Amino acid sequence: MVLIRPHHFTPNPQTAADNTFQRTTDEDVSRAAYDACTRVAEVLQREGVRVHLFEDEGYAHPDSVFPNNWFSTHAGGRVAVYPMYAENRRGERRADILEMLKSEYRVQEVIDYSGLEPDGLFLEGTGAMVLDHVSRIAYAVRSHRCDPVLVERFCTVFGYEPVVFDAADTDGVPIYHTNVMMCIGTDVALIGLDGIVGDARRAEVAARIRDTGRTIISLTPDQVAHFAGNALELRDHAGERIMVMSETAHASLTPEQLDTLAQTVRVLPIDVAPIELAGGSVRCMLAGIHLDPR
């Protein structure tokens, strides 16, 4: 995992317009956010997950704590670099992280889509797309940050089937990132089905997930708002599956939903409340590495 620890964290004013999960605050939460990132790194390392912890000591990139939006890694030694919607997020792309990947892992090719930003085409990585690496499906909600043309292009190059749909919150505001409303695990899928626009399309997405053999845990709009969809399945040091989510998300789930999860994964809640002020949670903080080590 790649994790960025910010030294001067604050919710990003440039992303507030289309991120309804974001909250404003007059408090200085930079230290609390720094500590939350440290906590995530320590918990994952204790579980035997390899964490590459980078620092952001600057003030220019409020959302640097969410690296999964600007790059993703893929089996076969491929790395994708993505075009970002907010101008002050584009500088989050870091050559030192790409160089680390090349030195520590077998990277054959870096495919860089960031040059499409001047054309107004954006695709914010595994925030914009939730990737089913087993069944090779890319689920994507249309938004300012997720252009369907780029989803198609990505899927053609990386070998995924695109499943693109519209989704909105209870006020009709489009969901800004797919990964705040759904998580694909090995045997289960957490998804806010009620947010998908159109009864027919909602049924089609649900059927596609069930066709892959997964049990669907349907999230209410309130649970989505509490980041219950923003989870990520990992393996611990013993090879057992764990589902990492925030304490906020965990507290929103019902006992029945937690029982369903517990049948296939061990749920690992972590307190990242300061980070959630920026409209993202644990999954957004973690950029997975699907590359072979050198």
Side-chain angles (χ1 to χ4, degrees):
M1 291 288 150
V2 169
L3 185 66
I4 311 293
R5 181 163 55 188
H7 291 235
H8 304 287
F9 171 85
T10 185
N12 185 355
Q14 288 194 20
T15 60
D18 70 335
N19 182 348
T20 58
F21 292 76
Q22 191 169 317
R23 299 291 178 264
T24 58
T25 178
D26 294 327
E27 298 179 26
D28 183 354
V29 294
S30 58
R31 182 67 207 190
Y34 180 95
D35 291 342
C37 288
T38 302
R39 187 161 47 248
V40 171
E42 290 175 348
V43 169
L44 293 182
Q45 288 169 336
R46 188 163 62 242
E47 298 293 337
V49 177
R50 189 179 185 188
V51 176
H52 299 279
L53 183 61
F54 287 80
E55 309 292 335
D56 178 16
E57 299 181 6
Y59 292 85
H61 307 120
D63 283 332
S64 62
V65 71
F66 303 135
N68 78 309
N69 296 153
W70 70 261
F71 81 94
S72 63
T73 66
H74 302 266
R78 307 175 91 188
V79 176
V81 176
Y82 296 101
M84 309 288 281
Y85 177 63
E87 289 187 14
N88 69 356
R89 296 207 64 190
R90 297 169 189 176
E92 293 174 26
R93 295 187 290 258
R94 291 174 53 162
D96 60 336
I97 292 178
L98 296 177
E99 289 305 313
M100 179 279 294
L101 292 174
K102 293 174 183 177
S103 65
E104 297 285 336
Y105 300 90
R106 298 189 181 278
V107 175
Q108 304 297 325
E109 183 180 20
V110 176
I111 301 173
D112 189 348
Y113 297 102
S114 64
L116 295 170
E117 286 166 349
D119 299 322
L121 298 174
F122 309 108
L123 182 64
E124 295 189 344
T126 54
M129 300 179 292
V130 171
L131 301 179
D132 178 347
H133 297 285
V134 177
S135 301
R136 309 301 294 176
I137 301 170
Y139 297 93
V141 174
R142 290 183 187 89
S143 73
H144 296 308
R145 306 161 186 240
C146 182
D147 189 288
V149 173
L150 279 191
V151 175
E152 292 275 357
R153 187 180 302 185
F154 168 86
C155 288
T156 298
V157 172
F158 284 86
Y160 287 85
E161 169 198 344
V163 175
V164 180
F165 52 96
D166 295 301
D169 65 17
T170 52
D171 294 322
V173 179
I175 298 291
Y176 84 102
H177 269 167
T178 313
N179 76 356
V180 295
M181 67 171 291
M182 70 181 299
C183 161
I184 298 292
T186 302
D187 296 314
V188 296
L190 296 155
I191 179 170
L193 286 173
D194 290 345
I196 298 178
V197 177
D199 293 343
R201 192 56 176 153
R202 184 181 308 115
E204 290 169 356
V205 173
R208 192 68 191 90
I209 294 171
R210 292 192 181 98
D211 287 346
T212 67
R214 292 175 172 85
T215 298
I216 290 179
I217 297 175
S218 184
L219 302 175
T220 67
D222 183 68
Q223 289 173 327
V224 171
H226 285 82
F227 299 102
N230 199 239
L232 182 65
E233 185 183 290
L234 304 172
R235 299 267 181 174
D236 67 13
H237 62 281
E240 299 296 323
R241 296 198 295 266
I242 57 176
M243 185 71 78
V244 183
M245 64 177 60
S246 73
E247 288 187 354
T248 303
H250 185 262
S252 76
L253 295 174
T254 67
E256 293 76 17
Q257 290 170 323
L258 290 171
D259 285 344
T260 300
L261 279 173
Q263 292 174 24
T264 62
V265 297
R266 179 166 57 86
V267 179
L268 183 63
I270 308 175
D271 177 13
V272 297
I275 304 299
E276 290 176 331
L277 292 170
S281 191
V282 168
R283 195 277 167 265
C284 298
M285 298 170 67
L286 301 174
I289 297 179
H290 301 275
L291 303 167
D292 293 327
R294 287 193 175 274

